[in-house]
Amino acid sequence: MFTSEKFALRKVVDDNPSLAPSETRSNLIFQKPFLSNFENLGKHYFDFTSPGVQNTSKATDFQLKEDEKGSAFSSLGIVKDYASRSRKMNVDTMNVPSSNNEDPETNDQKLSTTARIRMASQQFIDSYSSKDDETSQLSHPFAVSFSGLSDDEAKDIQLLLTLLASAEKTGQKQFKCAIKLIQLCSNMSLNEGNPVERLVYYFSEAIHMKINREMGRLACNERESIFDLREALMNVDTCISEFHLKVPLSQVCQFSSIHTIFENLNKATKIHVIDLESCRTGIQYIGLMQAIASCSEWHIDLIKITAVGTSSESKIKDTCKRLADFAKSMNIPFSFKIIMIGDVLDFNVDLIERNEGEKVAVYAPFFLSTLIAKPNSLEYLMRVIRKIKPCVTVITEVEANHTSSAFVDRFTEALFFYGALFDSMSDCLADDDLNRKVMESVCYGNSIRNIVAADGDERTIRHIGVDVWRKFFQRFGMLEIELTDATLNETNLVIGNFKCGNSCSVLVDGGCFLVEWKGVPIFSVSAWKFI
């Protein structure tokens, strides 16, 4: 009989056929009127806000957990919600080449990181036997078959099986056994290895940290590693920008967001964009100004940007000067205002300077989720935005559920989510690329540790899916604006500019876009108006 942890894992595997190897997708050809304005921009303009950057203030439970989403945060509900957001691929089952028919060494269909996780999950469910004396069999704890797999794939799946077992034992508070399994993971994984080895390295580290915390043995440096993420990111802007240029996921989100703003402000003589905590380099507004300038029928009297930030004031000021210089070179009337706040509760509508006849857009990429741990602040911000009365509010968020109070639920969801992210970096960046190392160690490694190891108020990194956001926004009288076919078409052109673009895709979900990697949802882009 399965434990609750194994049951949750079985549902993830059974309900997510999209986690099988991705098929090759055909590239569609579209016109490029808006896209052309984003091409050949200097790389120093690019901005990437990591989904791992989160507010570290005292956390409380997000109020949508049960009353707004029903059982979406229960063990079964989480995986059902995850399944509903995963695309059903043409391949419904895991197709592993038979060793009788072809040599794995000559097989070009290499299993993705996510496919390896799915296969390991299925084999864990089918073959793992929970026994009191299982620690005596740790050298070969799983009676599984790796027929048809390459040596590298078989090794990775064995490693993932061990990680899954350690998570199960941790969830059952069998820490002695879990530590032995974690030691096996440590012996077989490296932060400089292949994608699965690196993934297991960070997850096993996080599980070990959780065990130490549960047993009251948390070292000071471990606690600091959970909460110093924002400070660490201040020193890695160059690496993050380079990452943004080579991996399509963030550019796709940024492009589709700005294109949506462009469409909703179309033909307005005075436009005003209120940017919530993302205006550190300004590439999105360089593209917006170029697009507006290219429309001969669009007479513009003023483009105004209001940047609301809680940190990095000097970088925002540099952006202000750069954007002003660019606008001058394009002969575009431009103004820029910076509003620095110590807390979201300090933000109010009186701080926003309005001009008569202007159309306002609010742009909030990866910001609302930083307030999930502070629901009062989140609801306060939404009330302020409503008072501003924007014609469109564009929101980009992580498309995952990392809010459950149950350890195994969070672990399972995070493993698939970060597995897809690590896979994207492996496909797009070289093994020795410094940018990949920085993103994995500084950004994603810290996020994994916080999601897996921290509990209560200290677990500040919390993400929810777009379906939950929809329920939340309805409470404030917001209506979803359907993203257009034109935005979709040109977003696909952006994807086509990347060598690894075949693995990145955009799925239309209701009115929003889900940005996926090999069929696994990573980010959502949605637009809203108040009614």
Side-chain angles (χ1 to χ4, degrees), residues 271-290:
I271 68 173
H272 184 181
V273 180
I274 299 172
D275 183 292
L276 299 181
E277 194 77 319
S278 79
C279 195
R280 290 186 174 83
T281 59
I283 179 61
Q284 62 270 48
Y285 302 117
I286 295 288
L288 180 62
M289 284 189 280
Q290 284 184 319

Side-chain angles (χ1 to χ4, degrees), residues 259-266 359 391-392 394 481 527:
H259 193 277
T260 299
I261 291 174
F262 171 83
E263 290 180 321
N264 282 272
L265 298 181
N266 192 18
K359 292 186 72 173
C391 65
V392 63
V394 178
I481 300 173

Side-chain angles (χ1 to χ4, degrees), residues 40-56:
N40 301 318
L41 295 177
K43 64 182 179 181
H44 58 284
Y45 284 116
F46 279 92
D47 187 17
F48 176 74
T49 302
S50 167
V53 181
Q54 298 292 329
N55 189 292
T56 58

Side-chain angles (χ1 to χ4, degrees), residues 193-208:
N194 68 27
V196 169
E197 289 174 342
R198 300 195 304 265
L199 185 72
V200 171
Y201 173 87
Y202 290 110
F203 270 89
S204 60
E205 180 184 60
I207 293 175
H208 199 187

